[in-house]
Amino acid sequence: MAAGDELKVLGTWRSPFALRVRLALNLKGLKYEYLEEDLDNKSQLLLQSNPVTKKLPVLIHNGVPIRESLVILEYIDEIFRATGPSLLPDDPYQRAMARCWAIYIDNKLVAPWLKMFRANTSKERTEAMTDTIEAVETLEGLLSKGQLKKPFFGGDNVGYIDVVLAGMIAWMHATKALCGFDLLNAAKTPLLLEWTKRFARLDAAKMIMPDVAKLVEFKVNHAKRMNQKHFIHPKI
Ligand SMILES: N[C@@H](CCC(=O)N[C@@H](CS)C(=O)NCC(=O)O)C(=O)O
């Protein structure tokens, strides 16, 4: 990192997308200022930095905003190539594959997971739940086949796919309390379950991984406010 480089991250403590960005910066050992946003009352800085979608995360590098978590991860990896470990592999084919899996995680895991809470009917919710489980099992398959006996999707070290998926670790664990089913379990997804524990033990993660009980509490209150209460598991 060049002397005088200034990095700011606009996020929320619970956003899987913002967590990715902070994880990447932590893994690389880059210093940054973290600014917690209130999504009900977005800051002027967020509105100015992302005037089109007004979403977070935004990384502001020396006053210049970069948006979209996957793009931000690549930017960090490219601009700070000489600092800390690389996230994307050097080999162009492996790099392309890592990008494909990142898109898979966003479209096939994160999107249906979110839809479980936003669905209008129980049929839609069941479909979203089925899609989410299928994606998790596919990722279990990826761990068991491609990177045989390797601790991370990136191989011996954490890579791009690990960081992209890691934003969802606490939410995946919270799913049991929220929806009444185990998204990660020792019978069907043993490798992925171990991977979540291994990742959470990293110093880069320990500092910022959300507390699962706090996430559950947040989501239940949010669901009540948004009138999505009927989609929360009846026990809570
Ligand atoms: N594709 C975006 C998704 C970002 C996103 O959905 N952010 C949410 C927070 S988790 C947000 O800013 N929501 C506020 C809004 O939609 O107004 C990314 O990867 O950065």
Side-chain angles (χ1 to χ4, degrees), residues 62-148:
N62 295 336
V64 179
I66 300 104
R67 302 171 272 263
E68 282 296 322
S69 61
L70 297 183
V71 175
I72 298 173
L73 293 186
E74 293 219 25
Y75 178 85
I76 292 171
D77 213 26
E78 202 172 322
I79 291 277
F80 302 107
R81 194 178 290 279
T83 311
S86 289
L87 298 177
L88 279 156
D90 288 338
D91 175 71
Y93 172 73
Q94 294 301 334
R95 207 157 56 231
M97 290 309 290
R99 289 180 175 129
C100 275
W101 281 110
I103 292 169
Y104 179 87
I105 290 165
D106 271 3
N107 294 346
K108 300 292 184 184
L109 171 64
V110 183
W113 187 89
L114 287 169
K115 205 173 161 194
M116 285 198 294
F117 300 94
R118 294 173 185 168
N120 289 315
T121 64
S122 51
K123 182 173 175 282
E124 272 177 31
R125 184 181 183 243
T126 306
E127 278 168 11
M129 201 186 296
T130 308
D131 290 348
T132 308
I133 294 171
E134 193 180 305
V136 166
E137 290 178 4
T138 301
L139 291 166
E140 171 77 12
L142 182 64
L143 271 182
S144 72
K145 277 186 246 144
Q147 309 289 347
L148 200 61

Side-chain angles (χ1 to χ4, degrees), residues 15-17 20 39 42 54-57 68-70 106:
S15 163
F17 307 106
R20 290 171 178 173
L39 288 182
K42 294 174 184 170
K54 303 177 177 59
K55 287 186 189 243
L56 53 85
E68 282 296 322
S69 61
L70 297 183
D106 271 3

